[in-house]
Amino acid sequence: MHDVPHGEVRVRLVWRQRTWRCPEAGCLRGTFVEQVPTLVSPRAQVTRRAVAWAIGQLRREHATIAGLARRLDVSWWALWRAVKPELQRLADDETRFAGVTSLGVDAHIWHHGYRRKKGP
Ligand SMILES: [Zn+2]
């Protein structure tokens, strides 16, 4: 499990995930694996804390998924798979517009389009 880097040091958590077996003879599931959703989403390689950290880096430090994946020592896809649903959840939250009266566009970025042409 990959967690928030400590300075330049990559952090890995070792987690002994328990596997449970159902004693019912007719059980369709049979076994299931311990989940701790407050620590990590199912099948994710990064902790929820690392996902929150990565989103903060994207928002405030102009970080990229590729750069953050390197710092977390996971693949681009492993990080994006963990970050995307959280970004979607945040984007779907209409309360983020509470109190907003106007929105702006960064004209500087607007003018650095494809092949350095101006405009959209
Ligand atoms: Zn069962």
Side-chain angles (χ1 to χ4, degrees):
M1 197 71 58
H2 300 255
D3 199 21
V4 177
H6 186 75
E8 294 300 313
V9 179
R10 292 170 174 165
V11 175
R12 279 192 186 196
L13 302 178
V14 178
W15 174 24
R16 280 194 207 149
Q17 194 175 35
R18 291 177 283 194
T19 300
W20 304 91
R21 284 179 179 72
C22 182
E24 300 289 329
C27 181
L28 297 175
R29 185 92 186 255
T31 62
F32 55 97
V33 178
E34 179 181 34
Q35 300 291 330
V36 184
T38 54
L39 174 67
V40 63
S41 299
R43 294 178 298 282
Q45 293 176 24
V46 294
T47 62
R48 292 185 64 88
R49 182 169 60 182
V51 170
W53 170 80
I55 289 172
Q57 295 290 308
L58 291 167
R59 283 179 162 172
R60 292 184 295 277
E61 305 297 335
H62 305 287
T64 63
I65 293 293
L68 295 168
R70 272 194 303 277
R71 290 204 57 200
L72 289 165
D73 196 23
V74 296
S75 71
W76 189 96
W77 277 109
L79 181 57
W80 182 240
R81 221 178 11 248
V83 164
K84 187 181 177 187
E86 184 61 10
L87 289 176
Q88 190 64 58
R89 188 187 69 74
L90 293 168
D92 292 344
D93 179 11
E94 294 291 331
T95 64
R96 69 196 168 101
F97 294 116
V100 174
T101 56
S102 63
L103 295 173
V105 174
D106 187 332
H108 180 80
I109 292 172
W110 186 258
H111 286 286
H112 284 279
Y114 184 64
R115 291 184 184 167
R116 297 179 185 225
K117 288 180 186 170
K118 285 192 170 188

PDB file of all heavy atoms in Angstrom, residues 67-87:
ATOM      1  N   GLY A  67       3.757  12.840 -12.429  1.00  0.00           N
ATOM      2  CA  GLY A  67       4.731  13.201 -11.396  1.00  0.00           C
ATOM      3  C   GLY A  67       4.351  12.650 -10.032  1.00  0.00           C
ATOM      4  O   GLY A  67       5.203  12.149  -9.287  1.00  0.00           O
ATOM      5  N   LEU A  68       3.060  12.730  -9.705  1.00  0.00           N
ATOM      6  CA  LEU A  68       2.602  12.216  -8.416  1.00  0.00           C
ATOM      7  C   LEU A  68       2.740  10.693  -8.358  1.00  0.00           C
ATOM      8  O   LEU A  68       3.104  10.141  -7.316  1.00  0.00           O
ATOM      9  CB  LEU A  68       1.155  12.632  -8.165  1.00  0.00           C
ATOM     10  CG  LEU A  68       0.942  14.148  -8.004  1.00  0.00           C
ATOM     11  CD1 LEU A  68      -0.547  14.479  -8.053  1.00  0.00           C
ATOM     12  CD2 LEU A  68       1.581  14.644  -6.721  1.00  0.00           C
ATOM     13  N   ALA A  69       2.466  10.030  -9.477  1.00  0.00           N
ATOM     14  CA  ALA A  69       2.612   8.565  -9.524  1.00  0.00           C
ATOM     15  C   ALA A  69       4.073   8.176  -9.268  1.00  0.00           C
ATOM     16  O   ALA A  69       4.344   7.213  -8.547  1.00  0.00           O
ATOM     17  CB  ALA A  69       2.138   8.033 -10.879  1.00  0.00           C
ATOM     18  N   ARG A  70       5.013   8.953  -9.824  1.00  0.00           N
ATOM     19  CA  ARG A  70       6.435   8.681  -9.562  1.00  0.00           C
ATOM     20  C   ARG A  70       6.743   8.841  -8.080  1.00  0.00           C
ATOM     21  O   ARG A  70       7.430   8.026  -7.488  1.00  0.00           O
ATOM     22  CB  ARG A  70       7.319   9.631 -10.374  1.00  0.00           C
ATOM     23  CG  ARG A  70       7.670   9.140 -11.755  1.00  0.00           C
ATOM     24  CD  ARG A  70       8.805   9.944 -12.365  1.00  0.00           C
ATOM     25  NE  ARG A  70       8.528  11.381 -12.432  1.00  0.00           N
ATOM     26  CZ  ARG A  70       7.828  11.969 -13.407  1.00  0.00           C
ATOM     27  NH1 ARG A  70       7.363  11.248 -14.400  1.00  0.00           N
ATOM     28  NH2 ARG A  70       7.616  13.270 -13.391  1.00  0.00           N
ATOM     29  N   ARG A  71       6.220   9.907  -7.485  1.00  0.00           N
ATOM     30  CA  ARG A  71       6.504  10.143  -6.060  1.00  0.00           C
ATOM     31  C   ARG A  71       5.886   9.061  -5.175  1.00  0.00           C
ATOM     32  O   ARG A  71       6.435   8.743  -4.136  1.00  0.00           O
ATOM     33  CB  ARG A  71       6.000  11.515  -5.637  1.00  0.00           C
ATOM     34  CG  ARG A  71       6.842  12.611  -6.274  1.00  0.00           C
ATOM     35  CD  ARG A  71       6.820  13.906  -5.542  1.00  0.00           C
ATOM     36  NE  ARG A  71       7.239  13.788  -4.155  1.00  0.00           N
ATOM     37  CZ  ARG A  71       6.934  14.693  -3.228  1.00  0.00           C
ATOM     38  NH1 ARG A  71       6.224  15.738  -3.549  1.00  0.00           N
ATOM     39  NH2 ARG A  71       7.344  14.547  -1.990  1.00  0.00           N
ATOM     40  N   LEU A  72       4.741   8.530  -5.594  1.00  0.00           N
ATOM     41  CA  LEU A  72       4.081   7.481  -4.815  1.00  0.00           C
ATOM     42  C   LEU A  72       4.582   6.083  -5.170  1.00  0.00           C
ATOM     43  O   LEU A  72       4.215   5.110  -4.523  1.00  0.00           O
ATOM     44  CB  LEU A  72       2.564   7.545  -5.028  1.00  0.00           C
ATOM     45  CG  LEU A  72       1.859   8.741  -4.388  1.00  0.00           C
ATOM     46  CD1 LEU A  72       0.451   8.902  -4.952  1.00  0.00           C
ATOM     47  CD2 LEU A  72       1.803   8.597  -2.875  1.00  0.00           C
ATOM     48  N   ASP A  73       5.393   6.013  -6.242  1.00  0.00           N
ATOM     49  CA  ASP A  73       5.932   4.733  -6.704  1.00  0.00           C
ATOM     50  C   ASP A  73       4.827   3.779  -7.166  1.00  0.00           C
ATOM     51  O   ASP A  73       4.827   2.590  -6.836  1.00  0.00           O
ATOM     52  CB  ASP A  73       6.793   4.078  -5.608  1.00  0.00           C
ATOM     53  CG  ASP A  73       7.682   2.974  -6.166  1.00  0.00           C
ATOM     54  OD1 ASP A  73       7.969   3.008  -7.371  1.00  0.00           O
ATOM     55  OD2 ASP A  73       8.069   2.084  -5.384  1.00  0.00           O
ATOM     56  N   VAL A  74       3.850   4.341  -7.898  1.00  0.00           N
ATOM     57  CA  VAL A  74       2.812   3.519  -8.524  1.00  0.00           C
ATOM     58  C   VAL A  74       2.716   3.921  -9.991  1.00  0.00           C
ATOM     59  O   VAL A  74       3.266   4.948 -10.392  1.00  0.00           O
ATOM     60  CB  VAL A  74       1.424   3.700  -7.840  1.00  0.00           C
ATOM     61  CG1 VAL A  74       1.461   3.212  -6.398  1.00  0.00           C
ATOM     62  CG2 VAL A  74       0.951   5.137  -7.914  1.00  0.00           C
ATOM     63  N   SER A  75       2.009   3.142 -10.774  1.00  0.00           N
ATOM     64  CA  SER A  75       1.855   3.473 -12.189  1.00  0.00           C
ATOM     65  C   SER A  75       0.864   4.637 -12.346  1.00  0.00           C
ATOM     66  O   SER A  75       0.078   4.936 -11.427  1.00  0.00           O
ATOM     67  CB  SER A  75       1.334   2.261 -12.973  1.00  0.00           C
ATOM     68  OG  SER A  75      -0.026   2.018 -12.635  1.00  0.00           O
ATOM     69  N   TRP A  76       0.934   5.282 -13.512  1.00  0.00           N
ATOM     70  CA  TRP A  76      -0.012   6.358 -13.824  1.00  0.00           C
ATOM     71  C   TRP A  76      -1.435   5.851 -13.635  1.00  0.00           C
ATOM     72  O   TRP A  76      -2.254   6.506 -13.000  1.00  0.00           O
ATOM     73  CB  TRP A  76       0.213   6.813 -15.267  1.00  0.00           C
ATOM     74  CG  TRP A  76      -0.539   8.044 -15.659  1.00  0.00           C
ATOM     75  CD1 TRP A  76      -0.080   9.329 -15.651  1.00  0.00           C
ATOM     76  CD2 TRP A  76      -1.912   8.103 -16.113  1.00  0.00           C
ATOM     77  NE1 TRP A  76      -1.066  10.178 -16.066  1.00  0.00           N
ATOM     78  CE2 TRP A  76      -2.201   9.471 -16.362  1.00  0.00           C
ATOM     79  CE3 TRP A  76      -2.914   7.163 -16.335  1.00  0.00           C
ATOM     80  CZ2 TRP A  76      -3.441   9.895 -16.831  1.00  0.00           C
ATOM     81  CZ3 TRP A  76      -4.154   7.585 -16.782  1.00  0.00           C
ATOM     82  CH2 TRP A  76      -4.401   8.934 -17.026  1.00  0.00           C
ATOM     83  N   TRP A  77      -1.727   4.669 -14.176  1.00  0.00           N
ATOM     84  CA  TRP A  77      -3.088   4.120 -14.115  1.00  0.00           C
ATOM     85  C   TRP A  77      -3.508   3.795 -12.689  1.00  0.00           C
ATOM     86  O   TRP A  77      -4.666   4.008 -12.326  1.00  0.00           O
ATOM     87  CB  TRP A  77      -3.204   2.862 -14.992  1.00  0.00           C
ATOM     88  CG  TRP A  77      -3.441   3.215 -16.412  1.00  0.00           C
ATOM     89  CD1 TRP A  77      -2.559   3.083 -17.444  1.00  0.00           C
ATOM     90  CD2 TRP A  77      -4.622   3.814 -16.969  1.00  0.00           C
ATOM     91  NE1 TRP A  77      -3.115   3.559 -18.607  1.00  0.00           N
ATOM     92  CE2 TRP A  77      -4.390   4.014 -18.353  1.00  0.00           C
ATOM     93  CE3 TRP A  77      -5.847   4.207 -16.452  1.00  0.00           C
ATOM     94  CZ2 TRP A  77      -5.326   4.566 -19.193  1.00  0.00           C
ATOM     95  CZ3 TRP A  77      -6.788   4.764 -17.310  1.00  0.00           C
ATOM     96  CH2 TRP A  77      -6.518   4.937 -18.666  1.00  0.00           C
ATOM     97  N   ALA A  78      -2.592   3.297 -11.904  1.00  0.00           N
ATOM     98  CA  ALA A  78      -2.935   2.949 -10.514  1.00  0.00           C
ATOM     99  C   ALA A  78      -3.355   4.203  -9.749  1.00  0.00           C
ATOM    100  O   ALA A  78      -4.318   4.170  -8.985  1.00  0.00           O
ATOM    101  CB  ALA A  78      -1.755   2.278  -9.825  1.00  0.00           C
ATOM    102  N   LEU A  79      -2.646   5.303  -9.984  1.00  0.00           N
ATOM    103  CA  LEU A  79      -3.008   6.533  -9.291  1.00  0.00           C
ATOM    104  C   LEU A  79      -4.297   7.120  -9.857  1.00  0.00           C
ATOM    105  O   LEU A  79      -5.191   7.507  -9.105  1.00  0.00           O
ATOM    106  CB  LEU A  79      -1.869   7.563  -9.370  1.00  0.00           C
ATOM    107  CG  LEU A  79      -2.164   8.880  -8.647  1.00  0.00           C
ATOM    108  CD1 LEU A  79      -2.487   8.646  -7.176  1.00  0.00           C
ATOM    109  CD2 LEU A  79      -1.013   9.847  -8.798  1.00  0.00           C
ATOM    110  N   TRP A  80      -4.408   7.160 -11.180  1.00  0.00           N
ATOM    111  CA  TRP A  80      -5.605   7.746 -11.793  1.00  0.00           C
ATOM    112  C   TRP A  80      -6.860   6.979 -11.407  1.00  0.00           C
ATOM    113  O   TRP A  80      -7.913   7.551 -11.137  1.00  0.00           O
ATOM    114  CB  TRP A  80      -5.446   7.805 -13.315  1.00  0.00           C
ATOM    115  CG  TRP A  80      -6.617   8.437 -13.995  1.00  0.00           C
ATOM    116  CD1 TRP A  80      -7.434   7.876 -14.924  1.00  0.00           C
ATOM    117  CD2 TRP A  80      -7.115   9.773 -13.784  1.00  0.00           C
ATOM    118  NE1 TRP A  80      -8.396   8.769 -15.301  1.00  0.00           N
ATOM    119  CE2 TRP A  80      -8.232   9.933 -14.631  1.00  0.00           C
ATOM    120  CE3 TRP A  80      -6.718  10.829 -12.969  1.00  0.00           C
ATOM    121  CZ2 TRP A  80      -8.961  11.124 -14.670  1.00  0.00           C
ATOM    122  CZ3 TRP A  80      -7.451  12.004 -13.011  1.00  0.00           C
ATOM    123  CH2 TRP A  80      -8.552  12.145 -13.856  1.00  0.00           C
ATOM    124  N   ARG A  81      -6.759   5.643 -11.355  1.00  0.00           N
ATOM    125  CA  ARG A  81      -7.888   4.797 -10.945  1.00  0.00           C
ATOM    126  C   ARG A  81      -8.363   5.167  -9.536  1.00  0.00           C
ATOM    127  O   ARG A  81      -9.538   5.106  -9.240  1.00  0.00           O
ATOM    128  CB  ARG A  81      -7.456   3.329 -10.983  1.00  0.00           C
ATOM    129  CG  ARG A  81      -8.486   2.387 -11.527  1.00  0.00           C
ATOM    130  CD  ARG A  81      -8.058   0.921 -11.618  1.00  0.00           C
ATOM    131  NE  ARG A  81      -6.838   0.536 -10.978  1.00  0.00           N
ATOM    132  CZ  ARG A  81      -5.737   0.152 -11.628  1.00  0.00           C
ATOM    133  NH1 ARG A  81      -5.727   0.111 -12.935  1.00  0.00           N
ATOM    134  NH2 ARG A  81      -4.662  -0.205 -10.967  1.00  0.00           N
ATOM    135  N   ALA A  82      -7.432   5.565  -8.685  1.00  0.00           N
ATOM    136  CA  ALA A  82      -7.794   5.932  -7.311  1.00  0.00           C
ATOM    137  C   ALA A  82      -8.288   7.378  -7.211  1.00  0.00           C
ATOM    138  O   ALA A  82      -9.201   7.671  -6.437  1.00  0.00           O
ATOM    139  CB  ALA A  82      -6.589   5.732  -6.388  1.00  0.00           C
ATOM    140  N   VAL A  83      -7.699   8.268  -8.017  1.00  0.00           N
ATOM    141  CA  VAL A  83      -8.008   9.704  -7.924  1.00  0.00           C
ATOM    142  C   VAL A  83      -9.298  10.059  -8.660  1.00  0.00           C
ATOM    143  O   VAL A  83     -10.098  10.860  -8.165  1.00  0.00           O
ATOM    144  CB  VAL A  83      -6.818  10.533  -8.476  1.00  0.00           C
ATOM    145  CG1 VAL A  83      -7.208  11.971  -8.768  1.00  0.00           C
ATOM    146  CG2 VAL A  83      -5.646  10.500  -7.488  1.00  0.00           C
ATOM    147  N   LYS A  84      -9.516   9.469  -9.827  1.00  0.00           N
ATOM    148  CA  LYS A  84     -10.650   9.859 -10.675  1.00  0.00           C
ATOM    149  C   LYS A  84     -12.000   9.796  -9.968  1.00  0.00           C
ATOM    150  O   LYS A  84     -12.774  10.761 -10.038  1.00  0.00           O
ATOM    151  CB  LYS A  84     -10.670   9.025 -11.959  1.00  0.00           C
ATOM    152  CG  LYS A  84     -11.722   9.489 -12.943  1.00  0.00           C
ATOM    153  CD  LYS A  84     -11.744   8.636 -14.180  1.00  0.00           C
ATOM    154  CE  LYS A  84     -12.865   9.089 -15.100  1.00  0.00           C
ATOM    155  NZ  LYS A  84     -13.021   8.179 -16.240  1.00  0.00           N
ATOM    156  N   PRO A  85     -12.341   8.702  -9.272  1.00  0.00           N
ATOM    157  CA  PRO A  85     -13.662   8.670  -8.616  1.00  0.00           C
ATOM    158  C   PRO A  85     -13.818   9.751  -7.548  1.00  0.00           C
ATOM    159  O   PRO A  85     -14.917  10.278  -7.350  1.00  0.00           O
ATOM    160  CB  PRO A  85     -13.747   7.282  -7.993  1.00  0.00           C
ATOM    161  CG  PRO A  85     -12.566   6.524  -8.429  1.00  0.00           C
ATOM    162  CD  PRO A  85     -11.617   7.454  -9.095  1.00  0.00           C
ATOM    163  N   GLU A  86     -12.725  10.074  -6.870  1.00  0.00           N
ATOM    164  CA  GLU A  86     -12.796  11.112  -5.846  1.00  0.00           C
ATOM    165  C   GLU A  86     -12.985  12.491  -6.498  1.00  0.00           C
ATOM    166  O   GLU A  86     -13.761  13.309  -6.008  1.00  0.00           O
ATOM    167  CB  GLU A  86     -11.525  11.096  -4.983  1.00  0.00           C
ATOM    168  CG  GLU A  86     -11.547  12.062  -3.831  1.00  0.00           C
ATOM    169  CD  GLU A  86     -12.658  11.822  -2.813  1.00  0.00           C
ATOM    170  OE1 GLU A  86     -13.339  10.790  -2.866  1.00  0.00           O
ATOM    171  OE2 GLU A  86     -12.852  12.715  -1.969  1.00  0.00           O
ATOM    172  N   LEU A  87     -12.295  12.740  -7.615  1.00  0.00           N
ATOM    173  CA  LEU A  87     -12.499  13.998  -8.349  1.00  0.00           C
ATOM    174  C   LEU A  87     -13.938  14.086  -8.854  1.00  0.00           C
ATOM    175  O   LEU A  87     -14.562  15.146  -8.806  1.00  0.00           O
ATOM    176  CB  LEU A  87     -11.526  14.104  -9.526  1.00  0.00           C
ATOM    177  CG  LEU A  87     -10.061  14.347  -9.177  1.00  0.00           C
ATOM    178  CD1 LEU A  87      -9.216  14.315 -10.451  1.00  0.00           C
ATOM    179  CD2 LEU A  87      -9.871  15.662  -8.437  1.00  0.00           C
TER     180      LEU A  87
END
